[in-house]
């Protein structure tokens, strides 16, 4: 029995289709990675801004640290209305001044003295993105570093990632 070979045109169409499908798959992957990075950067900035505002609200009065939680910090985080927010403000001795006592940062927060730290973790069985930030307390009776931890669930991040990826995929599909 003799096998029939496909025509040159059919072989060319198959090869071009494979190349285009591979390119589209790479573009889709790149679009998803870019969208995820863009969403993380946008929402991380909100977390960091809220942490800085809370640290700015720390005041030492009569040898004790008091926390004046600025409403604007939570308004920033409220830009993602379906996400939940958890926070903890800690004195230099690691005692909780306000917030969720069981909120822990998954890595050592000593490095937060130079820059805010970000970590993806879980809190109360929910995926969260966390920030840890620190501020030096200059009062000699207290001395040390006060820390703030803020965790936000990731629903808005995922929604933004999906939206950006869908838009990019629509462009790839049109191509």
């Amino acid at each position: 029995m003799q096998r029939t070979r496909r025509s040159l045109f059919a072989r060319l169409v198959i090869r071009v289709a494979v190349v285009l499908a591979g390119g589209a798959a790479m573009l889709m992957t790149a679009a998803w990675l870019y969208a995820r990075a863009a969403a993380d950067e946008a929402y991380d900035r909100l977390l960091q801004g809220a942490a800085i505002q809370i640290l700015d609200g720390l005041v030492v009065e009569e040898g004790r640290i008091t926390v004046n939680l600025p409403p604007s910090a939570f308004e920033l985080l409220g830009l993602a209305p379906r996400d939940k927010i958890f926070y903890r403000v800690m004195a230099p001795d690691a005692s909780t001044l306000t917030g969720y006592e069981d909120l822990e940062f998954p890595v050592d927060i000593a490095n937060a003295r130079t820059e805010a730290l970000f970590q993806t973790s879980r809190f109360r069985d929910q995926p969260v993105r966390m920030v840890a930030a620190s501020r030096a307390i200059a009062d000699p009776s207290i001395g040390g570093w006060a820390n703030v931890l803020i965790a936000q669930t990731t629903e808005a991040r995922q929604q933004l990632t999906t939206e950006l990826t869908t838009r990019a995929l629509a462009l790839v599909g049109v191509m």
Side-chain angles (χ1 to χ4, degrees), residues 45-58:
R45 286 183 182 177
L46 293 176
L47 277 174
Q48 185 175 10
I52 290 169
Q53 287 182 354
I54 290 172
L55 286 171
D56 286 344
L58 297 180

Side-chain angles (χ1 to χ4, degrees), residues 3 29 49 51 65 83 96 99-100 123 129 141 152 160 164-165:
R3 278 176 80 185
T29 303
I65 299 176
D83 280 336
T96 301
Y100 294 83
F123 182 66
R129 181 74 170 170
S141 64
Q152 183 178 35
L160 181 57
L164 292 174
T165 302

Side-chain angles (χ1 to χ4, degrees), residues 50-115:
I52 290 169
Q53 287 182 354
I54 290 172
L55 286 171
D56 286 344
L58 297 180
V59 179
V60 178
E61 294 175 344
E62 299 175 11
R64 293 186 52 201
I65 299 176
T66 58
V67 182
N68 298 319
L69 291 173
S72 60
F74 296 105
E75 288 172 7
L76 262 181
L77 298 173
L79 294 174
R82 291 171 28 187
D83 280 336
K84 295 177 184 171
I85 301 163
F86 309 97
Y87 70 95
R88 180 179 179 196
V89 181
M90 297 181 293
D93 64 0
S95 63
T96 301
L97 297 171
T98 185
Y100 294 83
E101 288 195 32
D102 56 336
L103 183 62
E104 296 287 337
F105 203 71
V107 296
D108 183 23
I109 60 173
N111 294 331
R113 294 176 183 173
T114 55
E115 64 182 353

Side-chain angles (χ1 to χ4, degrees), residues 80-81 108 131 137 175:
D108 183 23
V131 65
I137 302 297
M175 285 178 35

